[in-house]
Amino acid sequence: MLELYGTTISSRLLLGTARYPSPAVLAEAIRRSETRIVTVSLRRETASGKTGGVFFEMIRDLGVRVLPNTAGCHSVSEAVLTAKMAREVFATNWIKLEVIGHHDTLQPDVFSLVEAARILTAEGFEVFPYTTDDLVVAEKLLEAGCKVLMPWCAPIGSAAGPLNLTALRTLRGHFPDVPLIVDAGIGRPSHAATVMELGYDAVLLNTAVAGASDPAAMAGAFARAVEAGHEAYHAGMLEPRDMAVPSTPVIGKAVFA
Ligand SMILES: CC(=O)[C@@H](O)[C@H](O)COP(=O)(O)O
């Protein structure tokens, strides 16, 4: 079981809720993913006006936990204000903290991220920081009070999959007891399985499901991939080797009568 800020969660797949063709498709994708946590952007959803209330009701009816996010925020003050509004709207101290620093890559501004994380944890928030795969930044976020880290594996929406397995492995190695969730850039179930095979605790994804031809079916595929990667990690995988090793041991010589 996954434990996040003292809460036990039965699924290791977290799902974004943006860019689905319709609310009905989103609802079916959530069901098929078996996720227990969806992330919701307060700014984007309420910006759509009339549909905001209906959208939030639907999420509530599905019985999943909401992890509000600060998507679209570009400064510490914007992110902190958005987090406080989200706490009011969703009645949760959980916040997925995003402070975007770069227009083209949507790369987090890690300096502002650490500052915002420090402010929010001091105010009682339980912060899930969307960060890069940088080890030193990860250390600063932990010092700031974060108890979960969410490194990207590639830019948001790129579907590029894990671009730097070494960096992800390094984070896992340095923080064996911190829940690590890969957030952003996953494009295929095999990408999700790959990061889970590194020992990651969970993945959060949006575009790969929302943008699929059949989002609900893709959500189901991701659910199985995440579980497969997790089980494989704990089952003890073989290290690749250069030389062949016969898979069928041969004893003596065959005797032909
Ligand atoms: C939905 C969310 O909160 C993001 O962090 C992000 O959009 C996820 O990235 P992908 O869309 O690349 O999966």
Side-chain angles (χ1 to χ4, degrees), residues 15-18 39 69 71 96 98 130 154-159 183-186 204-208:
L15 211 57
T17 53
T39 184
N69 68 57
K96 182 163 107 69
E98 286 189 34
Y130 163 63
I156 292 174
S158 68
D183 173 13
I186 286 180
L204 187 155
L205 56 94
N206 188 154
T207 308

Side-chain angles (χ1 to χ4, degrees), residues 1-173:
M1 288 275 188
L2 176 63
E3 190 160 320
L4 302 171
Y5 285 105
T7 300
T8 303
I9 309 289
S10 61
S11 165
R12 294 177 182 273
L13 175 58
L14 288 70
L15 211 57
T17 53
R19 295 182 180 274
Y20 283 82
S22 72
V25 173
L26 166 61
E28 191 50 24
I30 290 174
R31 282 188 208 101
R32 293 275 288 277
S33 71
E34 295 174 27
T35 187
R36 303 313 303 152
I37 301 176
V38 295
T39 184
V40 174
S41 162
L42 187 74
R43 301 186 75 210
R44 291 204 183 124
E45 300 305 342
T46 51
S48 63
K50 288 180 263 172
T51 58
V54 175
F55 174 83
F56 294 143
E57 265 171 42
M58 184 195 79
I59 297 291
R60 255 192 301 265
D61 290 348
L62 286 163
V64 288
R65 182 161 184 151
V66 171
L67 172 60
N69 68 57
T70 63
C73 293
H74 289 78
S75 68
V76 174
S77 56
E78 228 183 340
V80 168
L81 181 63
T82 304
K84 287 180 178 173
M85 287 166 62
R87 176 151 72 177
E88 294 295 312
V89 171
F90 293 105
T92 176
N93 284 336
W94 282 14
I95 189 74
K96 182 163 107 69
L97 182 61
E98 286 189 34
V99 187
I100 299 301
H102 194 268
H103 185 262
D104 294 336
T105 60
L106 299 181
Q107 178 160 341
D109 172 348
V110 293
F111 304 99
S112 299
L113 180 70
V114 172
E115 196 184 329
R118 195 168 286 123
I119 294 169
L120 290 171
T121 51
E123 298 207 17
F125 281 89
E126 293 174 322
V127 177
F128 295 66
Y130 163 63
T131 183
T132 60
D133 51 20
D134 187 282
L135 177 60
V136 177
V137 173
E139 279 173 344
K140 301 278 178 210
L141 287 166
L142 296 174
E143 280 166 25
C146 298
K147 303 212 179 320
V148 174
L149 296 174
M150 302 184 86
W152 70 352
C153 77
I156 292 174
S158 68
L163 297 178
N164 191 344
L165 284 176
T166 304
L168 291 178
R169 206 177 277 120
T170 299
L171 288 181
R172 181 69 289 173

